[in-house]
Amino acid sequence: MPSTTEEKVRLRRRVREQLAAMEPEELRRSDDALFARFLALPQVKEARSLFLFWGIPGREPETEMLVRSLAAQGKRVGLPRMLPERGMEVRLFQPEVPMVQVSFGIWEPPESAPLLKREEIQVALVPAVCYDRDRYRLGFGGGYYDRWLSGFQGFTVGLCRECVLQPQVPREAHDQRVDLLLTEMHRFSR
């Protein structure tokens, strides 16, 4: 029987293949539906500070326009910045300051961007390769978000394309689930 780690590796590969086979227009329609549902959430409307991610095209919802839209509304939008030892901090997105590309094609705010403390953030949008109906995520394998989320007291949201929503993802004791999962058509919560 394969280990949980091996199951995660296989599922990541399968989901990436599914996403790679999707047409750009299909991905854009999916993103538009996911973002509209996210922006309609009362928690998002009321939040002053949010933690989002800068999506990698073809692998995650392309959140750049979502980040820019929320910042234009006057909200403080933080983005992840990876640290040594698999740590992560949240730095403020500033539209006028260029982002920095780091490993794996990830874009981050520069180190000079203001730091957002975990306790300042009301809503966190949590990236994933995919989710399951119980709101557990299959991350990218680094454990950055599981560690960061373990001390987060705010509201967590996941976005998952309906076509890669799983009945159940492989889980380990440290895996964190989100408070709310949105697909283009469904909503899963506590």
Side-chain angles (χ1 to χ4, degrees), residues 27-43:
L27 291 169
R28 190 193 59 72
R29 279 195 312 271
S30 170
D31 285 356
D32 289 347
L34 291 168
F35 299 160
R37 298 193 80 199
F38 179 75
L39 289 170
L41 294 173
Q43 294 90 340

Side-chain angles (χ1 to χ4, degrees), residues 2-188:
S3 70
T4 302
T5 301
E6 291 168 333
E7 288 180 47
K8 287 182 175 186
V9 168
R10 275 194 226 131
L11 182 54
R12 281 186 193 100
R13 187 178 311 122
R14 193 174 82 234
V15 169
R16 284 185 180 135
E17 288 169 0
Q18 278 181 267
L19 293 174
M22 292 178 72
E23 295 294 324
E25 180 61 24
E26 190 179 7
L27 291 169
R28 190 193 59 72
R29 279 195 312 271
S30 170
D31 285 356
D32 289 347
L34 291 168
F35 299 160
R37 298 193 80 199
F38 179 75
L39 289 170
L41 294 173
Q43 294 90 340
V44 171
K45 290 179 180 180
E46 294 166 12
R48 294 174 310 285
S49 298
L50 301 98
F51 176 28
L52 274 69
F53 61 92
W54 197 269
I56 300 171
R59 291 175 67 178
E60 300 173 299
E62 291 188 45
T63 57
E64 178 181 352
M65 294 312 298
L66 183 61
V67 169
R68 291 186 184 282
S69 171
L70 289 164
Q73 293 174 34
K75 295 186 183 286
R76 299 174 72 211
V77 180
L79 294 170
R81 188 164 177 285
M82 302 308 152
L83 301 171
E85 311 290 319
R86 295 186 179 221
M88 185 171 71
E89 63 185 10
V90 182
R91 296 280 177 169
L92 186 66
F93 170 72
Q94 299 168 300
E96 69 283 357
V97 177
M99 299 278 282
V100 177
Q101 191 170 27
V102 296
S103 51
F104 307 111
I106 296 171
W107 290 90
E108 298 180 342
E111 188 176 0
S112 60
L115 188 65
L116 273 182
K117 295 179 183 151
R118 199 181 330 232
E119 56 273 9
E120 295 178 89
I121 300 166
Q122 289 87 38
V123 174
L125 181 60
V126 185
V129 173
C130 63
Y131 279 89
D132 68 21
R133 296 171 188 279
D134 290 327
R135 307 181 323 275
Y136 281 97
R137 62 189 275 276
L138 176 65
F140 295 91
Y144 293 92
Y145 275 85
D146 287 319
R147 278 189 288 285
W148 190 88
L149 288 169
S150 68
F152 182 60
Q153 299 299 309
F155 187 71
T156 55
V157 181
L159 301 178
C160 184
R161 299 184 198 286
E162 192 79 30
C163 66
V164 296
L165 179 65
Q166 304 297 309
Q168 184 172 6
V169 297
R171 299 178 194 157
E172 295 175 86
H174 64 268
D175 290 327
Q176 302 281 324
R177 67 174 155 181
V178 293
D179 296 316
L180 175 66
L181 174 62
L182 300 173
T183 70
E184 299 92 332
M185 298 176 281
H186 295 99
R187 172 188 180 109
F188 302 91

